Amino acid sequence: MSQEKSLPAGLHRDTLALRTGLARSQHGEHSEALYLTSGFVQPDAETAMRRFAGTEEGFTYSRTSNPTVTSFEQRLAAMEGTEAAIGASTGMSAILMMCMGLLKMGDHVICSRSVFGSTLNLFAKEFAKFGVETTFVSQTDVAEWAAAIKPNTKLLFAETPTNPLTEVCDIRALADLAHGAGALLAVDNCFCSPALQRPAELGADLIIHSGTKYLDGQGRVMAGAICGPSKLIVDVFGPVVRTAGMALSPFNAWVVLKGMETLGIRMQAQSAAALVIAQWLETQPGVARVYYPGLASHPQHELAMRQQSGQGGAVLSFDVIGNDPETARANAFHVINSTQVVSIATNLGDTKTIITHPGTTSHGRLTEAQRQAAGIGQGLIRLAVGLEHIEDIQADLLRGLSGLATLNT
Ligand SMILES: *Cc1c(COP(=O)(O)O)cnc(C)c1O
């Protein structure tokens, strides 16, 4: 295997997305090779011994490392601007790997209340069983994070913007807070991807990815990763994945590698379309409120623009009108069910636009009181904007929206 050229320094991330992590075989294939193998043949017993002892580089078994997965890791690290990255089978297993590597019984974590639902459960339910305590705090109020710090706080965990209300937290402020307390800051960068937001440049120590979302970008495979300094990736998380086995499949790594080549252009296009749709939704009589960081009306608009390369990202949410929860839900269902183009689904990060009713799906298991505290009403609709023509997405939403103002409010 050979890396055919050594790249010059200072390349743009769009170039890195295409040119890093090219591990070519002796055949010189132009596209990344897919090494779909569980094990690797060793030239002799002595080499095998050294590779297993870790004193010589070389592949042994795909749970430990695999050339296609390594290509993915190198490419993602280059795009995030971190020393290294490590693949995981899903975004959730990346968070699991990170916590297994960093935390032990008696440690304390501070986490935003608005993180991805499974992340919330992982900390609140699973890690609580092992004696790791988590304090959940406001997404946007740094003072609440500061007040939650304890002598045993090891990790601050944030996600920005959040799902589905697109609340933005100040990565730099949280990084300073973590470092002042001798803790680490991990940021889930799933929604913006490195095309728009690079948390390491803002002081974050670790960056979590669900490759399932924008990195693949076409809704094909599950994948995850942690990006960060080599001393953590190689010395702490490497042994965790080797023993615990949440390894990324080489096939999935290969699919995501190809997805990353178009990440920059997809994020620009989907983000630009989301802004147009968000602005247009604000003018619709059937819409009560639009949540999108690219809008001047968004409470953290300026911070988001600074932090996210001037882009709002591709996910927006909006409340349809409705004076009580039942009416609001009926109106939201009417809008969703009237669509003929966009997909009714709960995932995001696809080139195909997805429409979701968070209140009865992703957040359906919360009590009504919890949902109201989280600001997720029955009239809320989330739209993960894809690459269809904007006018077709607008017309699709208008099918149900147009009648709402005169209908059952
Ligand atoms: C989807 C998602 C995850 C989990 O990723 P999986 O690949 O589905 O395990 C984590 N964080 C955020 C923000 C997500 O949207």
Side-chain angles (χ1 to χ4, degrees):
M1 237 171 42
S2 63
Q3 175 90 37
E4 68 164 23
K5 291 183 196 171
S6 64
L7 295 169
L11 293 175
H12 294 82
R13 72 191 80 155
D14 287 348
T15 307
L16 296 173
L18 291 149
R19 294 287 168 183
T20 30
L22 287 170
R24 294 206 166 91
S25 77
Q26 72 273 25
H27 304 298
E29 65 283 345
H30 192 206
S31 175
E32 292 74 2
L34 167 54
Y35 291 90
L36 206 53
T37 179
S38 50
F40 297 83
V41 177
Q42 305 301 313
D44 50 60
E46 290 79 5
T47 308
M49 178 180 74
R50 288 191 299 273
R51 286 179 179 172
F52 270 84
T55 56
E56 178 181 308
E57 281 198 22
F59 296 100
T60 55
Y61 189 56
S62 285
R63 170 152 45 75
T64 306
S65 58
N66 172 286
T68 311
V69 175
T70 302
S71 293
F72 160 76
E73 292 165 344
Q74 289 173 348
R75 185 167 291 181
L76 185 61
M79 292 171 74
E80 282 288 3
T82 57
E83 282 174 9
I86 186 161
S89 56
T90 63
M92 287 321 301
S93 71
I95 302 176
L96 175 66
M97 187 202 310
M98 177 184 72
C99 292
M100 283 182 69
L102 294 180
L103 304 172
K104 60 177 187 330
M105 188 171 72
D107 284 344
H108 177 242
V109 176
I110 307 173
C111 180
S112 161
R113 226 174 260 131
S114 315
V115 291
F116 188 65
S118 297
T119 309
L120 208 84
N121 280 336
L122 189 66
F123 284 117
K125 295 211 181 103
E126 306 304 334
F127 277 100
K129 291 193 302 206
F130 298 101
V132 172
E133 187 207 355
T134 303
T135 306
F136 293 97
V137 294
S138 151
Q139 168 76 1
T140 51
D141 183 1
V142 181
E144 222 186 287
W145 292 73
I149 295 210
K150 299 184 186 192
N152 57 342
T153 303
K154 292 285 159 55
L155 178 70
L156 273 61
F157 190 95
E159 177 187 316
T160 181
T162 57
N163 176 32
L165 295 178
T166 72
E167 290 177 302
V168 175
C169 68
D170 187 333
I171 297 173
R172 170 77 66 192
L174 294 182
D176 290 346
L177 192 65
H179 300 154
L184 299 176
L185 173 67
V187 174
D188 183 330
N189 199 23
C190 185
F191 267 55
C192 276
S193 88
L196 304 185
Q197 175 170 273
R198 302 219 277 185
E201 289 174 355
L202 301 167
D205 303 284
L206 295 165
I207 295 120
I208 295 289
H209 272 290
S210 166
T212 319
K213 310 293 170 55
Y214 291 102
L215 299 184
D216 169 18
Q218 286 140 91
R220 298 168 293 191
V221 296
M222 308 290 299
I226 312 174
C227 305
S230 300
K231 65 176 180 352
L232 289 176
I233 297 292
V234 177
D235 300 339
V236 178
F237 305 135
V240 173
V241 75
R242 190 159 65 234
T243 26
M246 60 286 272
L248 176 58
S249 134
F251 179 78
N252 291 7
W254 181 80
V255 170
V256 178
L257 259 176
K258 302 308 285 176
M260 285 162 74
E261 294 184 349
T262 55
L263 177 68
I265 195 167
R266 279 188 284 108
M267 289 309 287
Q268 292 296 331
Q270 290 174 233
S271 202
L275 177 61
V276 172
I277 292 168
Q279 287 170 335
W280 170 79
L281 282 169
E282 275 194 321
T283 68
Q284 293 302 308
V287 173
R289 181 167 171 193
V290 184
Y291 306 83
Y292 183 64
L295 292 174
S297 60
H298 188 281
Q300 298 94 38
H301 174 65
E302 277 166 33
L303 170 64
M305 292 301 97
R306 263 202 323 276
Q307 218 164 245
Q308 302 172 194
S309 316
Q311 305 276 337
V315 178
L316 62 91
S317 291
F318 58 99
D319 282 316
V320 295
I321 53 175
N323 286 332
D324 54 80
E326 279 95 274
T327 312
R329 182 200 283 199
N331 287 347
F333 277 20
H334 176 68
V335 171
I336 292 170
N337 290 336
S338 300
T339 59
Q340 295 171 5
V341 178
V342 304
S343 316
I344 304 172
T346 53
N347 56 312
L348 61 102
D350 203 317
T351 43
K352 297 184 179 77
T353 297
I354 289 172
I355 195 163
T356 314
H357 187 253
T360 51
T361 58
S362 55
H363 297 71
R365 271 177 283 174
L366 303 183
T367 64
E368 190 56 35
Q370 285 174 318
R371 254 195 309 274
Q372 273 173 14
I376 296 163
Q378 290 297 328
L380 187 74
I381 293 175
R382 189 194 73 187
L383 198 70
V385 178
L387 285 176
E388 299 92 344
H389 197 288
I390 293 172
E391 289 171 9
D392 293 332
I393 301 173
Q394 287 170 326
D396 214 30
L397 295 173
L398 207 50
R399 279 182 240 284
L401 268 181
S402 59
L404 282 195
T406 53
L407 210 70
N408 44 341
T409 52

